[in-house]
Amino acid sequence: MAGRVAGKAALVSGAATGIGQSIAMCLAAEGASVAVADIDAGRGADVVTAIREAGGKALFLSLDVTEEASWEAAIAATESEFGRLDILVNNAGIAIVESVDKMSFDDWRAVMAVNIDGVFLGTKHAVPAMRRAGGGSIVNISSILGLTGEEKLSAYCASKGAVRLFTKAVALECGRDGSGIRVNSIHPGYIHTAMTEETCRRDYGDIATGFAELGKLHPIGRVGEPEEIAAGVLYLASDESKFVTGSELAIDGGYTAA
Ligand code: NAP
């Protein structure tokens, strides 16, 4: 299949829904073979079916990003099925909303486990596989809340800020070791997904009002769509960005421009 990432093999974490699903479908539509990796096997299988029906190549992998053995198995399965790993998108993420004095240590650790431990583990095990492939691209999905703070989201902000600087540190390592591996972060504004629907219900009473109010926080006047994040991932995953590493791409309708 021709396309901007034709011939490449990708693994996308948290790909059963939302932004991850869009990323998986976009990479597959542009010619990549895609491992759809998630803890939700039912919805993950639906994404694989949709990709195959559209003429793309995909497989589902059961992956809990907080478990090192789960990452080892997922990357081995990707290499075994597709022969290589060229693209890793660390997309899985969770948010727990609570003021710092009321947040339990368990909740803090749960956010850190998925949002930053998961990114570390994925990167750690993808780098040797990408060396075997002669290079690669790692795209870490951070957030506008990795660039600016937000009340009642201290754990989320801390984890997403950590993703930003982890990305830059690994980009330096991989840039200087001649491995040909690039590492970049993306910082979405509020995006139309289940995660944001939850925010809408909690903070604004209903989804439509919530999205309208959240939209006003973005100078462009609306929240974003998952496909608008996938478009940024596609650029960073493709060879079009071969001189780009250690960068942070805000796709946020201007939210962080102020
Ligand atoms: P979402 O709709 O909640 O989807 C996240 C997916 O990741 C779900 O399928 C979820 O499964 C899965 N997941 C959760 N824990 C996992 C684990 N331990 N291992 C593997 N998969 C796991 O989220 P989204 O809105 O698409 O967000 C995707 C990424 O973008 C996240 O990193 C998020 O922080 C970031 N982001 C989102 C927004 C936004 O406005 N939506 C803005 C900025 C950044 P379950 O549903 O079964 O838990």
Side-chain angles (χ1 to χ4, degrees), residues 13-21 37-40 43 63-67 90-95 113-115 141-145 156 160 186-196 198 226 229:
S13 74
T17 186
I19 294 171
Q21 174 180 357
D38 204 289
I39 42 174
D40 188 329
R43 282 182 307 174
L63 172 69
D64 179 344
V65 297
T66 68
E67 298 289 336
N90 281 310
N91 165 77
I94 62 167
V114 176
N115 293 7
I141 306 301
S142 174
S143 171
I144 47 173
L145 301 184
Y156 186 79
K160 292 298 188 178
I186 289 186
H187 301 262
Y190 285 95
I191 306 297
H192 222 134
T193 71
M195 184 186 269
T196 316
E198 223 176 279
I229 306 307

Side-chain angles (χ1 to χ4, degrees), residues 149-254:
E150 184 57 82
E151 58 193 88
K152 295 193 173 178
L153 281 165
S154 58
Y156 186 79
C157 291
S159 68
K160 292 298 188 178
V163 169
R164 171 177 172 267
L165 280 184
F166 173 78
T167 299
K168 292 183 195 297
V170 180
L172 293 178
E173 276 179 42
C174 291
R176 291 183 176 138
D177 71 6
S179 61
I181 301 169
R182 300 180 295 103
V183 196
N184 294 285
S185 60
I186 289 186
H187 301 262
Y190 285 95
I191 306 297
H192 222 134
T193 71
M195 184 186 269
T196 316
E197 283 182 8
E198 223 176 279
T199 308
C200 291
R201 270 190 292 265
R202 189 190 54 242
D203 295 349
Y204 301 98
D206 69 89
I207 293 177
T209 310
F211 277 122
E213 290 303 314
L214 288 174
K216 292 179 192 163
L217 303 175
H218 304 70
I220 278 182
R222 62 171 174 84
V223 301
E225 296 301 327
E227 296 73 21
E228 292 169 322
I229 306 307
V233 173
L234 175 61
Y235 166 68
L236 290 172
S238 77
D239 294 339
E240 294 157 28
S241 59
K242 59 184 185 295
F243 197 51
V244 182
T245 197
S247 76
E248 50 191 80
L249 174 58
I251 305 180
D252 67 353

Side-chain angles (χ1 to χ4, degrees), residues 1-12 23-36 51-52 54-59 78 82 84-89 233-234 237-238:
M1 187 191 264
R4 290 165 65 190
V5 284
K8 295 184 189 291
L11 188 157
V12 183
I23 293 168
M25 297 194 68
C26 172
L27 292 174
E30 290 293 336
S33 303
V34 180
V36 172
I51 289 174
R52 289 182 180 155
K57 205 169 164 193
L59 85 153
T78 305
F82 300 142
R84 53 195 297 118
L85 177 69
D86 306 283
I87 300 162
L88 169 66
V89 186
V233 173
L234 175 61
S238 77

